[in-house]
Amino acid sequence: MPFGEYRTWYRVSGDLSGGRPPLVVLHGGPGSTHDYLLPMCELSDTGQPVIHYDQLGNGGSTHLPDKGADFWTVRLFLDELDNLLERLGVAGGYLLFGHSWGGMLGAAHAATRPRGLRGLVIANSPASMTTWRAEMVRLRATLPREVQETLARHEAAGTTGTRSYFDAMRVFFDRYVCLVNPWPREYQASFMEMHNNPTVYYTMNGPTEFHVVGTLRDWSVEELLPSIEAPTLIISGRHDEATPETVRPFQDLIPDSRWEILENSSHLPHLEEPDRFREVLLAYLATVDGTQPGTRASDATTGS
């Protein structure tokens, strides 16, 4: 689909003309791809349409490796989302599911109070990158000493692209990002897409989850959260790199919100606890599908 002079890749699962508002899936990164969230296509079996897309710069969308930091902005990705909604004809009624960075992006979108937004799911997301960076320091300190030393040595030398750094990074990922071993195929696909084309991720985030030196290092959506009117489900994992400290502002500041913690998950509960994840999400969707005035997310989801 055209997005200015570029193109956004998208995929629709289910029937957009069936009367139910589609669930638009915002992947993480920034700079990842939709692949690791593909299992959510299964929701279309229940009659829930699902829209995946690759954000500009990665996957099937236009790659722009020569663009600098002034191009890769939050505003760019908000504009891309608005373009997608309008061109697919769903801006009058839709739901958002945002994972990690996608949750922050979804919150920023929802804070503008778009008339068509029926509900918002914020999954495994921090509300503030400043808090996230502080929590990354704490989580890194739980790693074996030799792993910490390897990470610090490569970061100081600027050699974060080496196999040695990757192996040390993997220790962190296996504890706080994906508990499934070996990694599911969908997650491997997104990981390698971002590894092979790291332009957006390196520019906005940095070389890895816990070494955030990019343009988003101090970004926060906390001040926007009280403006969100959509009923909101918040999801995180008990062992998540998105720790309770990073997630809590969503529940504290979004007026109509509910927080569900999946006990046997880290950052990817849809892959780590798929049955429980599906149960929680479907219960929420049942309350906001064709939302009527007075329907609240807090009336719907099970206790954590």
Side-chain angles (χ1 to χ4, degrees):
M1 124 183 349
F3 171 46
E5 59 187 295
Y6 312 115
R7 299 196 68 83
T8 299
W9 178 94
Y10 72 94
R11 165 179 174 158
V12 176
S13 301
D15 184 5
L16 293 182
S17 63
R20 296 181 64 175
L23 182 67
V24 181
V25 179
L26 312 180
H27 64 68
S32 186
T33 65
H34 77 285
D35 300 84
Y36 76 102
L37 292 164
L38 271 175
M40 294 187 65
C41 290
E42 297 172 4
L43 293 173
S44 64
D45 295 339
T46 70
Q48 173 63 61
V50 179
I51 299 171
H52 286 85
Y53 75 102
D54 285 333
Q55 295 163 23
L56 191 67
N58 280 80
S61 296
T62 305
H63 292 206
L64 298 161
D66 297 326
K67 292 292 187 181
D70 59 336
F71 179 82
W72 302 111
T73 64
V74 174
R75 181 73 263 162
L76 172 74
F77 293 106
L78 288 172
D79 289 345
E80 183 182 30
L81 173 58
D82 287 342
N83 181 72
L84 178 90
L85 297 172
E86 290 292 339
R87 286 187 175 272
L88 290 181
V90 300
Y94 61 98
L95 306 154
L96 286 185
F97 176 97
H99 180 263
S100 199
W101 137 265
M104 299 183 79
L105 187 67
H109 174 85
T112 67
R113 299 179 179 177
R115 296 182 63 182
L117 182 61
R118 301 286 184 260
L120 172 67
V121 182
I122 297 173
N124 314 94
S125 302
S128 163
M129 293 303 292
T130 300
T131 306
W132 172 274
R133 287 190 289 110
E135 287 296 277
M136 291 303 101
V137 172
R138 185 178 66 80
L139 293 182
R140 278 179 67 146
T142 69
L143 302 178
R145 181 176 298 276
E146 61 273 18
V147 173
Q148 295 183 52
E149 292 173 349
T150 299
L151 292 171
R153 183 173 66 252
H154 283 292
E155 287 162 4
T159 52
T160 55
T162 62
R163 180 69 193 194
S164 176
Y165 186 82
F166 177 87
D167 290 342
M169 177 187 70
R170 179 67 189 258
V171 177
F172 180 95
F173 273 57
D174 287 345
R175 288 192 184 190
Y176 301 116
V177 180
C178 184
L179 302 181
V180 181
N181 190 12
W183 284 352
R185 180 179 59 185
E186 298 92 344
Y187 180 56
Q188 289 187 51
S190 285
F191 187 91
M192 293 312 299
E193 284 267 10
M194 193 161 63
H195 177 76
N196 292 332
N197 181 22
T199 302
V200 182
Y201 187 68
Y202 279 17
T203 300
M204 299 183 76
N205 183 85
T208 190
E209 303 290 270
F210 47 78
H211 188 49
V212 182
V213 293
T215 57
L216 293 184
R217 67 188 312 273
D218 296 316
W219 185 49
S220 173
V221 295
E222 288 185 1
E223 70 281 2
L224 303 177
L225 302 181
S227 297
I228 296 177
E229 295 180 332
T232 302
L233 170 65
I234 305 153
I235 298 175
S236 65
R238 180 63 67 188
H239 312 286
D240 204 331
E241 62 174 349
T243 64
E245 188 70 18
T246 70
V247 175
R248 188 169 292 111
F250 290 118
Q251 184 181 52
D252 291 347
L253 298 174
I254 297 175
D256 182 7
S257 61
R258 172 77 177 195
W259 187 3
E260 191 78 36
I261 299 175
L262 276 69
E263 295 294 332
N264 299 308
S265 293
S266 61
H267 199 55
L268 301 170
H270 66 287
L271 299 176
E272 297 161 317
E273 284 184 86
D275 292 341
R276 177 63 179 147
F277 174 84
R278 181 183 174 94
E279 176 187 12
V280 168
L281 187 56
L282 284 177
Y284 167 76
L285 292 175
T287 70
V288 295
D289 181 12
T291 300
Q292 298 297 317
T295 300
R296 296 182 62 83
S298 52
D299 294 336
T301 55
T302 56
S304 57

